[in-house]
Amino acid sequence: MARITAGVATSHVPAIGAALDHGRTAEPYWAPVFAGYDWVKAWEAEEKPDVIILCYNDHATSLMLDVVPTFALGCAEEFAPADEGWGARPVPTVIGHPEFASHLAEQLVLDEFDLTIMNHMDVDHGLTVPLSLMFGQVDEWPVKVIPLAVNVTQFPTPSGNRCWMLGEAIGHAVESYPEDLNVQIWGTGGMSHQLQGPRAGLINPEFDNAFLDGLIDGTDELRKITRLEYLRESGSEGIELIMWLIMRAALGAEVEQLHRFYHVPASNTAVGHVVFRPKGKVETVAEAA
């Protein structure tokens, strides 16, 4: 039986990818950001997940604004890094798991989620930057990935509560897959930031850290945060945090926080990540065998 053994949520700032790709990680501006990910990189190397269900948002690269699915599940064998206007990032092709993805799609549709099935999709920084942060600069990714693209770019977007319900359904769908797989689920995007308009550069550390606190034992309140509240409190792009709710819900009622990092560089976005283990479940597939 497949098991979700951990959940990770992280920012997916495109400038982080550029800093990695151009050898700028040791610069004073960037060094604290990348040092903040040392713990989770070492942890992932020990965990060795088989598959990651990676919740992210496409930034009008593969899913252009003329077709905007609310939830799109990647079922292809592989996903190429997208050209976002200045060439594709120099990172490996993302390898999928079509059999597992098809199982998830079937179960989620039976659970009344009307998914868009993507049999071809290039993936942008929303997906590749988290992989780079967790696994570094590698010749190939050490894990298979099932992309789950969530619309947070064009209204109407799903509510936080709907994302929570999707996460719960994903948790059940994973447990019904017969193959032994060590599965992680990641939520990406956020934290507070706004890229345009009079409030460009908005950062709200109080909101961000309250959200991180709530992921442990205040999830009922997080599910109630409206789209307008995200806009007001965390900026126009802060709504990406709803994808963290998908991750958290898939882990079950209680979690143990293994690690947490929050940093505000002198830019227009806060950077953070958090790592959870489900409580009351075996920690690894190997231990369950």
Side-chain angles (χ1 to χ4, degrees):
M1 177 174 80
R3 297 174 182 271
I4 296 179
T5 59
V8 178
T10 182
S11 305
H12 62 214
V13 182
I16 291 176
L20 270 166
D21 300 341
H22 294 94
R24 299 174 56 193
T25 60
E27 294 180 3
Y29 179 90
W30 287 113
V33 173
F34 290 102
Y37 281 82
D38 286 346
W39 185 95
V40 71
K41 284 177 66 177
W43 175 81
E44 285 288 3
E46 293 181 357
E47 290 291 301
K48 295 181 173 58
D50 299 309
V51 183
I52 292 167
I53 302 168
L54 202 155
C55 308
Y56 78 110
N57 61 289
D58 179 89
H59 297 79
T61 50
S62 289
L63 303 173
M64 302 303 289
L65 297 183
D66 52 350
V67 178
V68 187
T70 302
F71 301 117
L73 190 72
C75 295
E77 292 186 358
E78 59 182 39
F79 306 90
D83 183 346
E84 301 181 57
W86 49 84
R89 287 191 65 213
V91 294
T93 295
V94 175
I95 304 302
H97 195 312
E99 297 81 8
F100 188 26
S102 297
H103 169 83
L104 294 177
E106 180 176 23
Q107 295 303 308
L108 292 173
V109 169
L110 290 175
D111 223 347
E112 302 184 358
F113 285 91
D114 298 324
L115 297 176
T116 299
I117 306 303
M118 303 297 294
N119 293 315
H120 173 81
M121 179 169 61
D122 292 346
V123 290
D124 65 19
H125 71 268
L127 185 139
T128 62
V129 166
L131 290 174
S132 294
L133 283 168
M134 303 299 164
F135 300 118
Q137 293 173 293
V138 294
D139 293 330
E140 60 182 36
W141 301 119
V143 65
K144 294 183 177 181
V145 177
I146 298 176
L148 175 59
V150 180
N151 170 39
V152 296
T153 58
Q154 183 167 300
F155 286 93
T157 59
S159 67
N161 190 57
R162 187 60 173 165
C163 288
W164 182 273
M165 295 168 66
L166 176 59
E168 289 182 323
I170 289 172
H172 298 317
V174 169
E175 290 179 351
S176 67
Y177 190 66
E179 183 182 350
D180 282 343
L181 290 176
N182 178 356
V183 180
Q184 291 184 5
I185 182 164
W186 293 7
T188 75
M191 300 186 79
S192 65
H193 62 300
Q194 180 153 326
L195 303 180
Q196 69 287 311
R199 296 202 309 164
L202 179 144
I203 302 290
N204 188 344
E206 292 78 14
F207 178 88
D208 290 340
N209 282 287
F211 191 93
L212 289 169
D213 292 339
L215 288 172
I216 301 172
D217 54 11
T219 56
D220 286 348
E221 294 305 311
L222 297 185
R223 294 169 65 176
K224 298 174 185 176
I225 299 175
T226 66
R227 289 168 286 192
L228 180 58
E229 287 177 284
Y230 279 114
L231 179 64
R232 181 177 62 242
E233 300 294 336
S234 61
S236 54
E237 279 71 42
I239 195 173
E240 291 175 347
L241 287 168
I242 63 176
M243 294 181 285
W244 295 32
L245 297 180
I246 299 174
M247 173 280 298
R248 175 61 186 83
L251 301 180
E254 295 185 324
V255 294
E256 174 190 5
Q257 179 178 282
L258 302 183
H259 184 70
R260 173 168 162 175
F261 170 71
Y262 182 77
H263 175 67
V264 181
S267 67
N268 58 3
T269 182
V271 176
H273 69 267
V274 63
V275 181
F276 292 122
R277 180 87 73 195
K279 276 189 178 179
K281 298 182 179 181
V282 294
E283 295 191 347
T284 65
V285 172
E287 291 175 354

